[in-house]
Each structure stands twice: as structure tokens, then as C-alpha cells.
Amino acid sequence: MLNHLQLYLKMKKLLTSILAIAATACSMQAMAQDEEGGFEFGASLDYQTRYLWRGSVSCNGNMQADVNASFGGFFADVWGMTDFKKGSYSEIDITLGYSYSAFSLSLTAYCWTSESFDETTFESKSEFKYFDKYKETHYLELGLGVDFSEWFENVGLAFSANTMIAGASRNEDDKNTFSTFLGLDYEYGLLDDALTLGAGVGSSIENSGDWNFYSEDGFKVIDLHLNAGYDFSINDMFSIGLNAMFMYNPVDDKPYVNAGVGVSF
């Protein structure tokens, strides 16, 4: 088990590596974008006051890092975060996918800090175990997306359907719950798209009875949110961004607020 210092050092090393990759990507990006259908790279590093996701909050102040690449219609993304605290929450997500016109299909492997029971001390503890058994520590999600702006100019509407198809999303009978999240988001750009304003609604579909990933059985609206962001473009390959979000979960009757600042390449 990683202690707090070891986790901090590992995540610091991860973030440093991401920045190094980003620097290399920036030098390659200018050449790649000159060729139609060539490679494209991107990276970002952010601080967020809260980690909000699909109607819930996983932790407070945290650092998030991301590296992504695409070639033709194929794309890949590695995203990681940690809150750097004792008993901290950490997460690593890896996504592979393909997009064509307005449609995208993806597979995302999630791994995050989970609660376990110590039979020697009879206490629960939080652990981040990336290399432990897949069905106990990872979640594999199949996603389908539709970006309506590809068909209708100036219509920033997008729909997504995401279902957990393997991993730790299991009920007491050790069967996959196939927990599903549906999202509908609208985004509008101002000031040459430097300022973006958005709104969205997210719903869960559950049918496992004894163990649900998102909410109660049936169709439930669990995520209503408003968001805004502003990018200060330094040059063609570097920008500084500010973002904020208000999210409300009608099932839990809980509101959440997040604000963040970051750099992107």
C-alpha cells in the first residue's frame, strides 16, 4: 500500500512527465497540423477546488493532468488526478476511441481510490490500487457520443450515452450492473469562443436492486449543471484558462460549486 508521501511523489512524477510530453508535443504539433489528417497532440494541467462528476463530488482541492492525441478519426486520452492529502482520492482514466462525422465511439478504463475493509483492524480504509485485480479496482465503460454542431453550425449541442460493461461495477451476486449515464450538454461561445457558457442535464439508468453505481433503480435525473470558462490565449499552442461550475443533484438534493485554473498546450 502506498503511503501519503509515496503517492505524492508518484503523482508529482506523473505530472512532471506530462509537462515534458506536452513540451515535446507542442514542438511536433505545428508540423503535424500542416498535414491533413496528421497527428495532433494536447496536454493540460489544472487545479480544481472540487472534482465534480455525474452528480457527485469525489474530493475537494485537487490537481488534474491530461495528455491526448489523435490521428485521423482515432483518438486516445490519459487523464489523472490527486488531492495530495492523507487518505487521498486519486484517479487515472484511459480512453481509446474513434470518431466519424458527428459520431464517436469510445472505451474508457477508470481506476480510482476505493474503500476496503481491513479484517485485522476492523476498520475501513481508502486505497488506490491500480495494479490489483481488474474486476475489483477498475471500471470499463462503453461510450457513444453525438456532436450536433457537426451538422448544424453554431449549435453546440452534444449527447452521450455511457454504460459500465466490465470491472467493479457489480452487484452482490457478482454480476455486472450495466449502470448507464445519459448526458445532454449545450455550449455557446462568445468573444471568438474565448468565453464559453454551458448547461447540461445528466440521468442514470439502474436496474440492479441491491447495488447501484449512480442512484436508485430506474431512470433518475442526477445532474443539472451550469458552467463557464475563459481562455487567455498566449500563442497558437499555449493558453491559460479559468472555469467554474454549479451542479445540482435532484435525487440527493445537494448543490455543488467548483472553480479552477489551468494551462493547456
Side-chain angles (χ1 to χ4, degrees):
M1 173 182 175
L2 295 177
N3 59 35
H4 172 51
L5 179 59
Q6 290 174 320
L7 179 60
Y8 173 84
L9 292 175
K10 284 183 176 292
M11 292 304 297
K12 182 179 179 181
K13 183 177 180 181
L14 171 63
L15 297 178
T16 302
S17 299
I18 287 176
L19 289 178
I21 293 172
T24 304
C26 287
S27 63
M28 298 176 64
Q29 189 176 36
M31 295 182 293
Q33 289 181 335
D34 286 339
E35 300 179 11
E36 184 177 356
F39 282 99
E40 292 188 6
F41 301 88
S44 63
L45 181 65
D46 302 83
Y47 175 80
Q48 303 291 334
T49 58
R50 280 182 170 175
Y51 173 26
L52 305 182
W53 188 68
R54 297 181 180 177
S56 65
V57 55
S58 298
C59 66
N60 291 322
N62 63 91
M63 294 295 299
Q64 303 180 5
D66 179 85
V67 173
N68 58 80
S70 64
F71 176 72
F74 295 95
F75 60 89
D77 185 273
V78 179
W79 181 91
M81 63 80 59
T82 185
D83 62 4
F84 294 113
K85 295 180 180 179
K86 185 178 181 180
S88 64
Y89 181 90
S90 298
E91 181 176 340
I92 296 177
D93 306 336
I94 300 175
T95 300
L96 299 174
Y98 181 78
S99 62
Y100 178 77
S101 182
F103 299 97
S104 64
L105 187 66
S106 63
L107 278 175
T108 299
Y110 299 97
C111 181
W112 51 64
T113 298
S114 57
E115 294 287 331
S116 61
F117 183 74
D118 191 331
E119 296 182 355
T120 59
T121 62
F122 299 101
E123 295 180 352
S124 62
K125 55 183 179 181
S126 298
E127 294 182 291
F128 180 73
K129 300 182 292 185
Y130 192 84
F131 296 104
D132 211 339
K133 295 179 180 179
Y134 192 90
K135 66 181 293 185
E136 295 180 2
T137 61
H138 291 254
Y139 300 80
L140 184 64
E141 179 182 81
L142 178 65
L144 172 65
V146 183
D147 183 357
F148 293 94
S149 66
E150 292 287 334
W151 295 328
F152 307 103
E153 188 176 359
N154 299 323
V155 178
L157 188 66
F159 170 78
S160 62
N162 308 276
T163 298
M164 297 292 182
I165 60 173
S169 180
R170 316 181 79 81
N171 61 22
E172 292 182 354
D173 295 327
D174 199 34
K175 295 181 179 179
N176 197 303
T177 62
F178 296 102
S179 299
T180 297
F181 181 84
L182 305 177
L184 186 65
D185 290 272
Y186 180 81
E187 190 172 89
Y188 186 75
L190 298 169
L191 304 177
D192 292 328
D193 291 333
L195 173 65
T196 57
L197 303 175
V201 56
S203 303
S204 63
I205 301 176
E206 301 275 16
N207 190 34
S208 66
D210 56 356
W211 190 96
N212 289 328
F213 187 82
Y214 295 110
S215 183
E216 303 166 355
D217 273 356
F219 179 89
K220 303 289 183 181
V221 176
I222 61 172
D223 181 349
L224 300 173
H225 63 263
L226 300 172
N227 57 277
Y230 190 88
D231 282 334
F232 300 89
S233 180
I234 307 303
N235 53 45
D236 291 340
M237 293 182 291
F238 177 75
S239 65
I240 299 175
L242 302 175
N243 62 81
M245 173 183 283
F246 170 80
M247 184 179 72
Y248 175 68
N249 186 328
V251 174
D252 296 336
D253 192 23
K254 292 183 178 180
Y256 304 101
V257 177
N258 172 62
V261 58
V263 294
S264 59
F265 308 89

